[in-house]
Amino acid sequence: MATNNDANQPLGGTAIKPKGWDRSGWESFKYMLYDPDTGKVLTRTPMSWFKIITFYCIYYTLLAGFWLACLHVFFLTIPEDTPRWTLDESLIGSNPGVGMKPIMDDEHIDSSLYILNLGDTSTAPTNKEGEGTKNADIIRRMDLFMERYNNNTGLHECADNDDANKGNCIFNVDVLEDCAQPNYGFMPIDGKVKPCFFFKLNKIYNFNPEPIMAADLDQPEYEDMSAQLKDTIRASANPNSVYFDCFGRFPADIEAVSLKYFPSTQSIPLKYFPYTGGNYQSPLMALQVEVSDKHVGQMVHMECRAWYKGVVHNKKDKLGLTQFEIMLNPVPK
């Protein structure tokens, strides 16, 4: 038999509406700010607010301390003005590649083929950056590169034996002679183009190459050096240099070109090394290439190698050398 309590018990499935369910508008907002029945402020009791604020204060303090400790260790172990790892300890190593100028235009940046047109006499580049395929575009890109040799800040005029300023010397472009003149041989003169290409060692911090002396030339590691360069080294008045040796890669290429070096010693004096940061003028050696008339329209494959003691030449990784191609297009008929 049902009792009075049973009669007052809600039936199963009947929803019990919480107190204040019908609040709305301003009244609901006031109860969200402060609920006098429970003492909640912004839906939390003061004790709940105290616990969560304390937790996050400790959490973010420890997180900030962790990152400050990491930054402190980072700045203590990494030098501010020099690389942390250099030469053989670094990923770059101590065997630089050979850099080459002028650079290609952006559209053909992955190519090493220089196409020159004997009939292209226009002196106006495609744009101010020389981003085009005209002869004048190559000249413009070379002009932009050579502008850096006008900034001598922090550099010195150095004699070959000036050890005090070693690595901080002004590079005098006059040693490049004919190749330092405007147009750099890329503009047709009397129906001929004799382009100049500029070579340098890629910068590696603190890299200080050792020279090859005449007495070393009979050693096996120099058997790939040309007889002409060996004679140049033996006759050199300043053997303390890095030398460059350029040649056609295949028999057909060798007979297609005649080469002329500037300076004639085919070298860069060691006074320009090592590179230690700051303003630096990379020393250059220039090669003037003349393609014979009967080989106009032929792709000529060239290779240039740097020579100093201990150099490694690797064609796959382009260590100690560079390769490029030249093609002269005839005048259209």
Side-chain angles (χ1 to χ4, degrees):
M1 185 172 72
T3 64
N4 289 336
N5 290 336
D6 294 334
N8 295 329
Q9 182 70 28
L11 296 175
T14 301
I16 302 175
K17 297 178 180 178
K19 183 178 180 180
W21 67 272
D22 55 347
R23 297 185 190 122
S24 61
W26 175 244
E27 183 182 12
S28 177
F29 180 72
K30 286 194 300 180
Y31 269 84
M32 186 272 293
L33 294 178
Y34 176 69
D35 188 341
D37 296 331
T38 61
K40 291 181 178 180
V41 177
L42 296 174
T43 72
R44 287 184 179 272
T45 64
M47 180 56 69
S48 176
W49 278 116
F50 173 77
K51 290 178 179 179
I52 197 170
I53 291 173
T54 301
F55 169 79
Y56 278 106
C57 284
I58 296 173
Y59 173 76
Y60 284 115
T61 299
L62 293 176
L63 186 63
F66 170 76
W67 284 109
L68 286 174
C70 289
L71 288 174
H72 187 63
V73 171
F74 177 82
F75 286 118
L76 281 179
T77 56
I78 302 297
E80 292 185 5
D81 54 350
T82 62
R84 177 65 180 86
W85 309 106
T86 62
L87 301 178
D88 290 337
E89 295 179 343
S90 69
L91 293 176
I92 297 175
S94 56
N95 197 85
V98 174
M100 182 178 175
K101 302 295 178 181
I103 59 174
M104 304 299 291
D105 60 287
D106 287 346
E107 186 177 352
H108 303 94
I109 197 65
D110 58 344
S111 173
S112 58
L113 172 60
Y114 293 84
I115 301 177
L116 305 173
N117 298 299
L118 294 178
D120 182 3
T121 58
S122 171
T123 59
T126 302
N127 51 48
K128 63 180 181 179
E129 290 82 20
E131 290 297 331
T133 58
K134 297 164 58 177
N135 294 353
D137 290 319
I138 300 176
I139 295 169
R140 177 56 182 163
R141 295 196 297 271
M142 195 62 210
D143 284 338
L144 294 174
F145 170 74
M146 295 299 284
E147 285 179 1
R148 68 187 63 189
Y149 291 92
N150 297 328
N151 179 14
N152 297 331
T153 304
L155 301 177
H156 308 273
E157 291 282 0
C158 304
D160 288 337
N161 58 354
D162 186 357
D163 292 334
N165 296 312
K166 202 169 183 294
N168 293 295
C169 299
I170 296 172
F171 180 74
N172 186 358
V173 297
D174 290 341
V175 301
L176 303 177
E177 301 178 41
D178 293 351
C179 281
Q181 302 305 312
N183 296 337
Y184 315 103
F186 286 94
M187 193 59 64
I189 298 177
D190 297 329
K192 287 185 174 292
V193 173
K194 301 179 182 179
C196 290
F197 299 94
F198 300 78
F199 301 94
K200 65 183 185 68
L201 291 183
N202 292 338
K203 289 186 291 187
I204 293 181
Y205 191 91
N206 222 24
F207 172 69
N208 199 9
E210 294 184 40
I212 298 173
M213 297 300 179
D216 301 326
L217 295 176
D218 294 330
Q219 297 178 10
E221 55 262 40
Y222 304 118
E223 63 182 10
D224 291 335
M225 183 187 293
S226 69
Q228 181 265 332
L229 179 56
K230 289 182 179 180
D231 292 340
T232 299
I233 294 175
R234 292 187 179 102
S236 176
N238 179 28
N240 292 322
S241 302
V242 171
Y243 292 90
F244 290 86
D245 197 11
C246 300
F247 49 87
R249 288 160 55 190
F250 307 106
D253 303 318
I254 295 173
E255 66 179 31
V257 296
S258 59
L259 309 176
K260 191 174 182 179
Y261 296 90
F262 299 98
S264 59
T265 57
Q266 304 176 221
S267 64
I268 294 172
L270 295 185
K271 65 182 179 181
Y272 297 106
F273 301 94
Y275 166 69
T276 55
N279 186 26
Y280 182 74
Q281 294 179 348
S282 296
L284 304 172
M285 192 281 305
L287 175 73
Q288 188 176 54
V289 180
E290 182 178 357
V291 178
S292 64
D293 293 340
K294 68 177 183 178
H295 292 283
V296 170
Q298 171 187 323
M299 182 185 296
V300 180
H301 304 79
M302 299 293 299
E303 182 173 312
C304 286
R305 297 188 175 195
W307 285 98
Y308 52 88
K309 187 169 291 187
V311 65
V312 175
H313 297 123
N314 186 312
K315 294 182 181 181
K316 179 181 178 181
D317 296 325
K318 297 297 187 291
L319 295 178
L321 58 82
T322 189
Q323 296 177 330
F324 62 102
E325 297 78 40
I326 308 169
M327 179 181 287
L328 301 187
N329 286 334
V331 178
K333 296 182 180 181

